[in-house]
């Protein structure tokens, strides 16, 4: 044992022996499966004056195996009484607690619980949480300045146990009867409809809710507040309501109409009726997560739900639509069918992320949501290309490990792998398979293999009635099948065998393509950044390749099962492009002149390739530079075609690859080279920038691109952008904020205004008074872009206090400051100085902590900074973050940045000297 192991073992055994006897040795991070809950009768009574709550829970249990103790979860609860209830008796139970395992053990003298049904009752109390999880306190300020208090829940992943004693693991599904006591000035909301409200002594009211369907504890929800709501009934008869603070109810209509449309869509798409009589959506003023899928009561940040046609931007509209689509998809994927344990979280989150794009594409085609799916895959690859990554399905045990699973691998990679599988099997077969999965496992828990089984041999399935989906002739009529159908019709196709290679090992493949005449030689290896990349184990994937050629735009398919293989073209071609529309989760390297041919085609006529194909070529070639497969000057040569580009995905991907390069130089004080690269970027995109108007005209993608380009131009101080932005800000300020600015350029105007003390102070005043979350978010972003370091330092401090800036907004503020060229050092200093407070507020392992750790450090590129980051995180112990995966990711990012700069700065300097047309203005 090392010292820590010895210390833990010695004191654990001593504690067990002297204090609790052998019971201590029975504690385990996972509850035993010998007892399962059937029904909870839960009473909750929050006091919004004392900021505490009390309650009682009566749990009907089924003891499956004889036991002396009943173990269940409880965290930070004062258990005042525990009873074993019988028809003719009640016995006081002994309660023993393990804070380390967040559990209690119930026992009664020498009594043994034999198999059968039992009822236990526990009475408890606690303070409302000051964090953003469990049953926690929230506040909001009215337009008159009054501060009002509410209490709401956020139980995923392991926080139901801090609101009531329970079996807080996803496999312990049960029914819940919930009662909430409140004052008459408040209302309560929960998962199910309120059956009746009873008047109690002392003027209190008790809302009694209908019994829930069988579900996991993390989906339980209740809110006590003074919200107002608006409602509509869906085509399938579900009552849908949106709740928000009273002064913002006028901003709820878009969310309501969107929820009605999407819930009806899912009802029809899955051919499985939504099982509850109502679906509420609540905008919570203090909410750290993006949103939460509680069954029948989904919760959101205000900025994720509230929309005003006059003030909200196109980006706001797209984001709100997607997040509602995501949470409503969970009502089937996650709620109806739930992963057995958190190691397979991706079965919930990957599916919901994937379905948000499928559903919005079909219900709101004008939002052009497909333009933004690629970015999710590129983001996942950024994490997955490091040795600190993990398989989609990864063993986890303790709460911090579970929280770390809520990352880009579970969400984004999960969605991208599902998108690849859908393309591989064909959308028709994929849809039949997932409906088969949902119907077979309704109200149950699943593992990876259950999904793969449901997607295998769908046309031979007779284990359930697939209704109209099997009757449309797809399985019986070969004429209805697409060219891809041969994959799933093959007798030897084993979906599990293929998909295990994508979910049970980390990383993704690099496919090297070498064309010689009609022969195409293929090779796969793991795409891995870092010094250890040459020594990594031999990973092997079964890769569904797709490709087009200069001779045919018809998509061809090839399943690569081995490390090397060869395919043959019908004729010689000028170029081959693999991974059509980037539907596959892999990167392609075109060896032996293959890149030269593709670059020539881009420069000759880039529209031969789709926008997604162009974006993937940009992404792939710059990623290949980072592992030394392609020289930087070749990637920069490809980027020159962007001067003719106009579509949002290739343009933003060009920025995504080139902007980080000069951000690395900002942190190294390499001003001359930094300005040369900025000058190149301005010249490449000058035509597009000059074509932008200061309006809300155009398609969704055009409007979002306008914001992106104008913000870039103003930050670069281009006179054609700075002049109009300053004029608009002056006019807006003179009108005291009454002047209506075009929603999609408002952030640009605010950012320009935040450059001066006077403008910054005026924006801060408007941030505090506005009732529009979208406006508030844009002002906060503009404030963080300011070149005034003392203002940013003050704002971060206020974010920690939670008065002027909501604390749940602090992580994004810190990350934004870390990208600010005049203030980036402040972000790291603030993060390290306040680490203990941040961990307490946001929870160890949470996505907020992980995003700050990686986001604040991912542009560092010096050995000095690497040692500073290593020193700080190396000083932490287990309870404050040592061992977090995000720390390893941050360190590897810095090491990779150092390596990139050392290898590529001379090449970059030489290339810019040969191609530069002057510095940035």
């Amino acid at each position: 044992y090392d010292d820590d192991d010895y210390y833990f073992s010695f004191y654990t055994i001593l504690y067990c022996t002297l204090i609790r006897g052998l019971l201590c040795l029975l504690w385990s991070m996972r509850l035993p499966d010998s007892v399962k809950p059937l029904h909870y009768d839960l009473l909750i009574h929050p006091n919004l004056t004392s900021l505490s709550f009390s309650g009682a829970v009566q749990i009907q249990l089924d003891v499956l195996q004889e036991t002396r103790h009943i173990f269940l979860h409880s965290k930070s609860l004062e258990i005042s009484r525990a009873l074993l209830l019988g028809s003719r008796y009640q016995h006081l139970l002994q309660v023993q607690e393990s804070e380390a395992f967040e559990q209690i053990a119930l026992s009664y003298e020498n009594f043994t619980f034999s198999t059968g049904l039992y009822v236990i009752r526990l009475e408890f109390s606690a303070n409302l949480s000051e964090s953003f999880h469990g049953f926690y306190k929230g506040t909001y300020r009215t337009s008159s300045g009054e501060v009002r208090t509410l209490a709401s829940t956020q139980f995923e992943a392991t926080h139901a146990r801090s609101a009531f004693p329970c079996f807080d693991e996803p496999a312990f599904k049960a029914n819940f009867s919930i009662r909430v006591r409140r004052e008459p000035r408040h209302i309560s909301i929960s998962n199910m409809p309120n059956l009746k409200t009873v008047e109690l002594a002392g003027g209190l009211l008790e809302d009694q809710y209908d019994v829930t369907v069988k579900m996991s504890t993390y989906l339980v929800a209740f809110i006590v507040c003074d919200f107002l709501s608006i409602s509509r009934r869906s085509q399938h008869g579900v009552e849908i309501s949106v709740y928000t603070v009273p002064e913002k109810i006028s901003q709820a209509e878009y969310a309501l109409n969107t929820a009605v449309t999407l819930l009806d869509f899912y009802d029809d798409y899955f051919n499985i009726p939504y099982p509850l009589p109502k679906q509420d959506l609540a905008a919570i003023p203090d909410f750290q997560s993006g949103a939460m899928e509680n069954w029948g009561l989904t919760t959101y940040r205000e900025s994720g739900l509230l929309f005003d046609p006059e003030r909200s931007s196109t980006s706001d509209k797209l984001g709100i639509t997607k997040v509602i689509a995501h949470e409503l998809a969970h009502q089937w994927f996650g709620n109806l069918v739930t992963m057995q344990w958190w190691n397979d979280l991706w079965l919930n989150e990957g599916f919901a992320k994937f379905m948000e794009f499928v559903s919005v594409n079909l219900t709101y085609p004008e939002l052009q949501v497909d333009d933004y799916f690629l970015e999710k895959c590129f983001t996942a690859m950024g994490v997955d290309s490091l040795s600190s990554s993990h398989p989609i399905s990864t063993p986890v045990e303790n709460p911090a490990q579970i929280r770390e699973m809520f990352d880009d691998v579970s969400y984004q990679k999960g969605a991208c792998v599902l998108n690849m599988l859908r393309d591989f099997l064909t959308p028709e077969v994929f849809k039949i398979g997932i409906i088969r999965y949902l119907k077979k496992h309704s109200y149950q828990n699943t593992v990876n293999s259950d999904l793969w089984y449901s997607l295998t041999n769908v046309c031979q399935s007779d284990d359930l009635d697939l209704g109209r989906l099997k009757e449309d002739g797809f399985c019986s009529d070969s004429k209805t099948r697409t060219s891809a159908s041969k994959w799933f019709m093959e007798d030897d196709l084993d979906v599990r065998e293929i998909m295990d290679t994508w979910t049970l090992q980390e990383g993704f493949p690099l496919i090297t393509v070498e064309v010689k005449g009609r022969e195409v030689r293929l090779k796969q290896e793991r795409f891995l950044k870092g010094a250890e990349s040459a020594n990594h184990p031999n990973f092997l994937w079964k890769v569904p390749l797709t490709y087009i050629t200069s001779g045919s735009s018809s998509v061809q398919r090839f399943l690569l099962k081995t490390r090397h293989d060869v395919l043959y073209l019908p004729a010689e071609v000028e170029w081959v492009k693999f991974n059509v529309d980037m539907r596959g989760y892999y990167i392609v390297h075109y060896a032996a002149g293959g890149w030269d041919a593709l670059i020539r085609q881009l420069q000759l006529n880039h529209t031969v390739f789709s926008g997604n194909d162009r974006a993937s070529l940009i992404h792939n070639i710059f990623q290949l530079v980072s592992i030394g497969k392609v020289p930087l000057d070749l990637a920069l040569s490809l980027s020159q075609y962007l001067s003719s580009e106009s579509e949002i995905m290739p343009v933003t991907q060009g920025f995504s690859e080139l902007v980080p390069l000069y951000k690395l130089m900002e942190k190294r004080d390499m001003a001359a080279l930094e300005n040369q690269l900025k000058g190149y970027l301005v010249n490449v995109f000058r035509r597009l920038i000059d074509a932008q108007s200061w309006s809300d005209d155009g398609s969704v993608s055009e409007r979002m691109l306008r914001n992106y380009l104008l913000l870039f131009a103003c930050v670069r101080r281009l006179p054609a952008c700075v002049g109009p932005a300053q004029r608009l800000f002056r006019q807006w300020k003179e009108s005291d904020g009454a002047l209506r600015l075009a929603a999609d350029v408002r952030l640009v105007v605010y950012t320009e205004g935040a450059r001066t003390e006077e403008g910054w102070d005026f924006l801060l005043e408007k941030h505090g008074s506005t009732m529009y979350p979208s406006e508030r978010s844009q002002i906060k972003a503009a404030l963080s872009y300011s070149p005034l370091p003392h203002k940013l330092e003050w704002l971060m401090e206020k974010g920690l206090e939670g008065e002027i800036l909501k604390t749940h907004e602090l992580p994004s503020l810190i990350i934004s400051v870390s990208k600010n060229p005049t203030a980036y050092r402040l972000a790291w200093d603030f993060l390290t100085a306040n680490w203990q407070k941040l961990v307490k507020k946001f929870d160890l392992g949470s996505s907020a902590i992980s995003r700050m750790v990686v986001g604040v450090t991912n542009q560092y590129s010096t050995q000095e900074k690497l040692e500073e980051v290593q020193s700080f995180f190396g000083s932490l112990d287990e309870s404050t973050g040592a061992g977090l995966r995000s720390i390893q990711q941050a360190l590897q990012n810095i090491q990779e940045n150092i390596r990139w700069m050392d290898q590529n700065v001379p090449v970059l300097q030489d290339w810019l000297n040969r191609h530069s047309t002057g510095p940035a203005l």
Side-chain angles (χ1 to χ4, degrees), residues 157 327 606:
E327 303 314 319
H606 63 273

Side-chain angles (χ1 to χ4, degrees), residues 7-40:
Y7 180 89
F8 176 81
S9 301
F10 174 79
Y11 281 99
T12 299
I13 293 170
L14 183 63
Y15 179 81
C16 293
T17 305
L18 299 179
I19 308 298
R20 297 289 177 92
L22 294 176
L23 171 63
C24 184
L25 299 178
L26 299 177
W27 298 110
S28 171
M29 196 58 72
R30 297 281 296 274
L31 294 178
D33 55 12
S34 55
V35 179
K36 70 175 184 179
L38 302 176
H39 183 270
Y40 293 79

Side-chain angles (χ1 to χ4, degrees), residues 34 42 47 63 81-82 89 159 237 275 321 390 484 533 562 590 668 762 808 853:
S34 55
L42 173 64
N47 185 322
V63 175
R81 202 167 182 228
Y89 64 85
H159 295 296
T321 309
H390 64 90
S533 59
T562 54
Y590 302 92
R668 280 198 179 193
F762 182 76
H808 73 248
V853 168

Side-chain angles (χ1 to χ4, degrees), residues 583-615:
R583 293 193 196 116
Y585 188 72
Y586 56 92
I587 280 178
V588 184
H589 172 41
Y590 302 92
W595 277 113
D596 294 324
L598 290 165
I599 292 170
R600 283 195 299 271
Q601 181 61 65
L602 284 169
Q603 293 170 340
L604 181 66
N605 178 13
H606 63 273
T607 61
V608 166
F609 304 113
S610 69
N612 279 2
D613 273 336
R614 302 195 302 268

